[in-house]
Each structure stands twice: as C-alpha cells, then as structure tokens.
C-alpha cells in the first residue's frame, strides 16, 4: 500500500524515522532503533511500534533480507515536503501563498539577500 500525496501527514516522531530512512535506507529495525535511541532516547519497542504504524499508513515498506527485514521509504522527501507545505498553507493562510509571504515580510523584516532570493524565484517562474 502506498500513501496518496494528499494523505501524507507525518507526525514529528514519524518525520524523525523518515529522515533516517531517506538518508540511509535500507535499514533494519535494529539499525533504526539505534539511531532513534541516540537522537531521541526512544526504546526499541517505541521505534518498532512507530515503524509498524508507518507501514500500515503506506509510508514505508520492507524486503526480507537475511536475518532481518530491511526498511525503505515509500514516499519521497520532496513529496512529503510538498504535502506538508500545502497543508500548512491551507490551515493557516486559507491556501494563500501571498498572504503567508506578506505576513513573513512584515514580521521578519526580510534582509536584502532574502528579498533578492524571492525576486529571483519569481523572475524564474515568469520565464517558465
């Protein structure tokens, strides 16, 4: 089962596991648990529970490999970032990118570098 783009909604705990898999897949449960213990302090049982839930949601899958299952992400980092961004815009700014940029510009006093970066992005999009 693969997660649909608009169904991707990672919790912060799931995000940590996905980052680990995006960076180093394939990994076994033991390898993921060791990484999570160092990063979060989670017990192996916590990591195993999260992996099981994420597999059910279609975020990752495994292949049998020797002594242990090897886990892979089913969704790409870029897909998750896009889905999370769209969700964020929808929830906080009623889907309006302009409203978000306006809010950030007024609250953060954009630097000249950031303004140039935004202008370059917009100029590039106009040329498409």
């Amino acid at each position: 089962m693969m997660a649909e783009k608009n169904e991707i909604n990672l919790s912060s705990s799931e995000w940590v596991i996905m980052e680990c898999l995006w960076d180093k897949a394939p990994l076994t449960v033991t390898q993921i648990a060791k990484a999570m213990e160092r990063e979060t302090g989670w017990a192996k049982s916590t990591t195993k529970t999260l992996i099981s839930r994420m597999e059910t949601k279609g975020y990752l899958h495994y292949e049998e490999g020797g002594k242990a299952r090897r886990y892979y992400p089913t969704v790409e980092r870029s897909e998750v970032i896009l889905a999370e961004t769209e969700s964020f815009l929808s929830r906080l700014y009623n889907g309006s990118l302009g409203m978000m940029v306006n809010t950030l510009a007024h609250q953060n006093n954009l630097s000249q570098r950031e303004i140039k970066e935004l202008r370059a992005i917009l100029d590039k999009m106009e040329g498409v």
Side-chain angles (χ1 to χ4, degrees), residues 42-111:
W42 297 343
K44 185 175 182 178
S45 60
T46 301
T47 301
K48 284 175 77 172
T49 299
L50 280 166
I51 289 171
S52 177
R53 288 181 189 159
M54 292 170 71
E55 186 181 355
T56 300
K57 292 178 180 180
Y59 299 155
L60 49 86
H61 72 280
Y62 68 86
E63 292 177 0
E64 294 295 344
K67 297 180 182 180
R69 294 175 173 174
R70 297 178 317 169
Y71 285 86
Y72 297 83
T74 305
V75 292
E76 296 291 327
R77 180 184 273 133
S78 58
E79 288 177 77
V80 177
I81 290 171
L82 180 58
E84 293 282 348
T85 301
E86 288 173 348
S87 174
F88 172 80
L89 273 175
S90 178
R91 283 181 290 122
L92 297 180
Y93 296 100
N94 201 26
S96 172
L97 179 61
M99 188 185 306
M100 182 189 80
V101 172
N102 188 43
T103 300
L104 292 173
H106 285 20
Q107 296 302 314
N108 291 333
N109 298 321
L110 295 176
S111 69

Side-chain angles (χ1 to χ4, degrees), residues 17 29-30 32-51:
I17 290 174
V29 168
T30 300
I32 297 169
K34 282 182 183 175
M36 294 304 96
E37 185 177 21
R38 280 191 301 271
E39 190 167 332
T40 65
W42 297 343
K44 185 175 182 178
S45 60
T46 301
T47 301
K48 284 175 77 172
T49 299
L50 280 166
I51 289 171

Side-chain angles (χ1 to χ4, degrees), residues 15-39:
W15 189 271
V16 174
I17 290 174
M18 291 302 290
E19 285 286 351
C20 184
L21 285 170
W22 285 322
D23 290 342
K24 300 174 187 151
L27 294 172
T28 64
V29 168
T30 300
Q31 291 169 322
I32 297 169
K34 282 182 183 175
M36 294 304 96
E37 185 177 21
R38 280 191 301 271
E39 190 167 332

